[in-house]
Amino acid sequence: MKEFITKAKLWLTSTFDTETQTEIQDLIANNPKDLADRFYKDMEFGTGGMRGVMGAGTNRINKYTLGRATQGLSNYLIENTDKEQLSVVIAYDCRHNSKKFAKVVADVLSANNIKVFLFEDLRPTPELSFAVRHLDCDAGIVLTASHNPPEYNGYKVYWADGGQIVPPHDKGIIANVNALNFSEIKFDANEDLIETIGKEVDDVFITESANKGSLSNNIDRKNLKIVFTSLHGTSIMSVPDALAKAGYTDVHIVEEQRKPDGDFPTVKSPNPEEPEALEMATNLADQLGADIVIGTDPDCDRLGVAVRDLDGKMKLMNGNQTMVVMTDFAIQKWKNEGKINGNQFVGTTIVSTELVNEVAAGYGVQTNVALTGFKWIAKMIRDNPDMDFIGGGEESFGYMVGDFVRDKDAVTATLLACEVAALAKQNGSSFYEELLKIYVNNKFYKEHLISITKKGMDGAAEIQQMLSDMRNNPILEIDGEQIETLSDYQASTRKNLITGEVTNIDLPKSNVLIYQTASGTRIAARPSGTEPKIKFYFSVNTSLDKIENAQQVESELDAKIQRIIKEMKLN
């Protein structure tokens, strides 16, 4: 505690404004527990950049932590780029303080003689990724906390290729940030270097999205009834226009959730993974007899898709299911055009369904598997310049179509989901039936996610202890099946627990453990890179002989997952 108070008192100096000093003084006098949480560590870049609760302190999102990150980025750009005039584009979402924070970031960049393109108002994260290359910038920044609660905000950095920063740039930037004192931040803006942008970039982005997301010429798009909700986020700026541009005319927006609002007043969580978040949309779909529901998270990089099951009821697909269906559809399009020649690949992550690998292999398409986080899928494109990237996804409701955007992109993915639904309807099928056909042709995979929240310093220690226990005292059997392999991405090893054989994993180190049986039953554990959570991913599979038996098989797989959860004492 003494150490935390010493760190906090540094925030009572003239480097910090009066408002910040007052907030710190109150914490020292009245709330030592909160003070400890704000100063026990510095904000770090995780899988989704820097994200946290807003407020004063080194472990909070505020003018100074954002300023320090931006000063470190500025220093790194100046040291590592030969261009006479560096440039960075900035976007922000609907969260509290996002617009103010975006201007702080612009001020610091311009004070370092870096040209800034600042969006005039909130914009989707994928448009920021697109704008980096469209404007030929050296980097991009978006102020967002994705689907986190209202008290959060965040900061993501993109490199010149439009992808989030990865090695060696991430480590180089962080080293520069860590070397800085807050007194070294240049906050005095050079307004001549800050240019406001808007419609001129929007128009190109929407047109390109419609081109990339509309994969077939012979689809009756007017016959698909769509319900869309932006969940109070930025997608309202792009998705309706993109749908219209692509030719979808029967689109119904959830009006109560249309207005951007950082309080997200109509939902407990603005997370399209949660059925409750899409409840207003699915209710409207039932009233209208709609075919498909699309909901996006606040910064519009992830989408939830609900479609009608075999009984005609709206069913929320999970991220693995939508990824598999959209990947199959996209590859089929390439095949129909005669473009599959063994030089194509799709991207996925280590905790996503292995069904996507089977689907791609069936077409002769390679699957590249990366760590969790779309920055690694974007890096695949950079690392394989001689190969064609068809698309990529992850279990957490993110998908990227082609490479014109180098991050998960709910705008283009919305169009792709609607293409699947529209063509299926035209052919007397449905989005859900297309998924079941994939299960019949391969295997029925069922996935489930459990997130356990452990807040604060003590919570972080608990999460690390849970992973340490699983690493040092491995599970040997689960639901009557012997564990065959334990993959430890922190140690970069995969150990066969039956034979003792150890092989190396050729991926960057990450604190992830994956247990797998010979039948493909899989349990993965990892700490979230953006929230105070530990996540457990379960995957089981079996054969499906015909669509009519899908409900029974799914019930059996669900029961298996619940037995595993109970055995691990996670319920």
Side-chain angles (χ1 to χ4, degrees):
M1 195 63 222
K2 196 173 180 181
E3 181 185 335
F4 303 147
I5 290 173
T6 300
K7 283 183 74 175
K9 283 183 176 177
L10 295 175
W11 284 55
L12 300 178
T13 63
S14 59
T15 296
F16 302 90
D17 60 32
T18 304
E19 184 182 350
T20 299
Q21 291 184 45
T22 301
E23 188 174 345
I24 297 297
Q25 284 171 335
D26 182 62
L27 288 168
I28 292 172
N30 302 310
N31 200 336
K33 187 177 179 181
D34 191 11
L35 181 82
D37 190 61
R38 293 181 186 222
F39 285 96
Y40 83 91
K41 67 173 184 176
D42 291 350
M43 275 282 158
E44 298 172 352
F45 284 93
T47 56
M50 190 169 73
R51 196 183 300 180
V53 175
M54 291 176 277
T58 59
N59 187 31
R60 290 290 186 268
I61 294 291
N62 53 62
K63 171 183 177 180
Y64 300 98
T65 52
L66 294 175
R68 187 169 177 242
T70 308
Q71 185 63 54
L73 171 63
S74 300
N75 292 350
Y76 183 80
L77 285 169
I78 292 165
E79 290 168 9
N80 291 276
T81 314
D82 294 329
K83 285 172 68 174
E84 190 172 324
Q85 181 60 72
L86 294 163
S87 61
V88 175
V89 57
I90 301 172
Y92 56 92
D93 70 3
C94 60
R95 289 187 172 269
H96 298 305
N97 299 313
S98 280
K99 186 168 189 174
K100 180 177 76 173
F101 287 155
K103 182 59 168 68
V104 168
V105 170
D107 290 349
V108 174
L109 289 165
S110 69
N112 284 276
N113 199 37
I114 296 172
K115 169 75 176 177
V116 178
F117 296 97
L118 177 62
F119 275 101
E120 63 186 357
D121 203 349
L122 70 168
R123 289 296 188 280
T125 289
E127 184 169 355
L128 182 279
S129 171
F130 169 80
V132 172
R133 286 197 294 160
H134 177 65
L135 297 170
D136 193 26
C137 290
D138 301 285
I141 298 168
V142 62
L143 282 302
T144 177
S146 187
H147 61 282
N148 285 61
E151 64 269 22
Y152 279 73
N153 213 316
Y155 177 96
K156 288 201 286 190
V157 179
Y158 292 74
W159 202 241
D161 66 338
Q164 291 182 50
I165 54 168
V166 293
H169 300 306
D170 56 354
K171 292 177 182 175
I173 294 166
I174 291 165
N176 270 274
V177 173
N178 291 341
L180 283 168
N181 293 319
F182 288 104
S183 59
E184 297 175 83
I185 304 168
K186 299 177 182 177
F187 282 116
D188 294 329
N190 179 350
E191 297 292 349
D192 292 339
L193 288 177
I194 301 175
E195 180 179 338
T196 302
I197 57 172
K199 189 176 184 301
E200 67 278 15
V201 179
D202 299 341
D203 290 346
V204 183
F205 173 66
I206 296 296
T207 299
E208 193 71 10
S209 297
N211 289 339
K212 296 293 183 184
S214 305
L215 296 187
S216 294
N217 296 322
N218 302 313
I219 293 181
D220 182 8
R221 297 183 178 92
K222 295 178 181 179
N223 193 37
L224 186 73
K225 190 181 289 288
I226 303 164
V227 168
F228 169 70
T229 176
S230 58
L231 295 178
H232 304 288
T234 63
S235 61
I236 200 67
M237 308 293 292
S238 300
V239 171
D241 288 344
L243 286 166
K245 186 84 174 178
Y248 293 98
T249 57
D250 200 355
V251 179
H252 304 266
I253 296 171
V254 179
E255 292 298 332
E256 299 93 328
Q257 297 174 330
R258 177 194 282 264
K259 185 179 178 182
D261 188 334
D263 285 323
F264 312 111
T266 65
V267 291
K268 195 177 290 184
S269 168
N271 185 352
E273 292 182 70
E274 304 291 342
E276 187 180 22
L278 297 188
E279 191 174 341
M280 279 189 171
T282 53
N283 287 343
L284 180 59
D286 285 337
Q287 292 173 28
L288 299 172
D291 302 296
I292 188 169
V293 166
I294 303 284
T296 56
D297 67 343
D299 69 325
C300 189
D301 61 358
R302 302 190 311 149
L303 78 163
V305 178
V307 294
R308 299 210 175 272
D309 64 14
L310 297 180
D311 296 324
K313 295 178 180 177
M314 294 305 299
K315 181 181 180 74
L316 176 61
M317 300 288 93
N318 65 41
N320 287 307
Q321 293 170 322
T322 53
M323 169 173 60
V324 165
V325 174
M326 292 196 290
T327 299
D328 181 77
F329 187 88
I331 298 176
Q332 183 68 45
K333 170 70 163 44
W334 279 64
K335 181 184 177 182
N336 293 343
E337 294 178 354
K339 296 194 298 185
I340 300 294
N341 58 15
N343 200 43
Q344 289 71 42
F345 76 97
V346 296
T348 185
T349 70
I350 58 174
V351 297
S352 299
T353 182
E354 292 186 307
L355 178 55
V356 74
N357 309 38
E358 293 186 27
V359 167
Y363 291 100
V365 172
Q366 177 179 314
T367 301
N368 290 354
V369 183
L371 295 177
T372 305
F374 243 80
K375 63 183 182 181
W376 301 113
I377 294 179
K379 186 175 183 292
M380 292 175 185
I381 301 170
R382 188 192 311 163
D383 292 344
N384 297 278
D386 298 325
M387 295 189 72
D388 301 318
F389 176 73
I390 295 175
E394 62 181 2
E395 56 77 35
S396 58
F397 287 57
Y399 202 82
M400 177 166 67
V401 186
D403 67 350
F404 86 106
V405 167
R406 299 289 177 92
D407 201 356
K408 50 187 177 286
D409 173 11
V411 180
T412 318
T414 291
L415 296 176
L416 181 56
C418 291
E419 293 287 286
V420 175
L423 185 60
K425 184 177 182 180
Q426 192 171 310
N427 293 333
S429 179
S430 69
F431 189 108
Y432 188 64
E433 282 187 63
E434 294 305 304
L435 173 65
L436 296 182
K437 289 175 188 175
I438 293 170
Y439 287 156
V440 170
N441 292 334
N442 298 275
K443 281 185 176 179
F444 195 134
Y445 276 74
K446 182 71 177 180
E447 283 85 20
H448 185 70
L449 169 67
I450 290 180
S451 294
I452 299 174
T453 300
K454 299 283 186 181
K455 291 186 177 181
M457 184 170 49
D458 293 341
E462 282 186 67
I463 288 171
Q464 293 308 316
Q465 188 60 52
M466 292 170 78
L467 286 161
S468 178
D469 291 344
M470 290 183 70
R471 180 173 281 116
N472 298 322
N473 302 292
I475 301 167
L476 300 178
E477 186 178 285
I478 200 77
D479 194 41
E481 292 185 68
Q482 192 173 7
I483 299 292
E484 185 175 58
T485 60
L486 170 57
S487 300
D488 185 342
Y489 289 83
Q490 186 80 352
S492 300
T493 58
R494 180 172 290 113
K495 184 176 182 179
N496 188 308
L497 298 182
I498 300 169
T499 67
E501 181 187 4
V502 178
T503 55
N504 291 327
I505 296 173
D506 188 22
L507 286 174
K509 292 183 183 298
S510 183
N511 194 10
V512 182
L513 296 171
I514 299 181
Y515 290 91
Q516 189 149 343
T517 71
S519 70
T521 294
R522 196 164 56 128
I523 304 160
R526 62 175 280 269
S528 171
T530 57
E531 299 173 89
K533 292 179 178 179
I534 181 169
K535 295 186 173 185
F536 293 92
Y537 305 80
F538 304 91
S539 179
V540 295
N541 68 83
T542 191
S543 58
L544 176 65
D545 57 349
K546 53 185 179 180
I547 286 177
E548 289 75 15
N549 292 333
Q551 193 169 350
Q552 178 189 338
V553 169
E554 184 168 14
S555 295
E556 291 169 1
L557 292 176
D558 277 333
K560 183 178 181 68
I561 289 172
Q562 291 307 314
R563 289 195 303 270
I564 293 171
I565 291 169
K566 186 176 181 180
E567 200 172 322
M568 292 181 68
K569 299 178 180 176
L570 293 174
N571 54 359

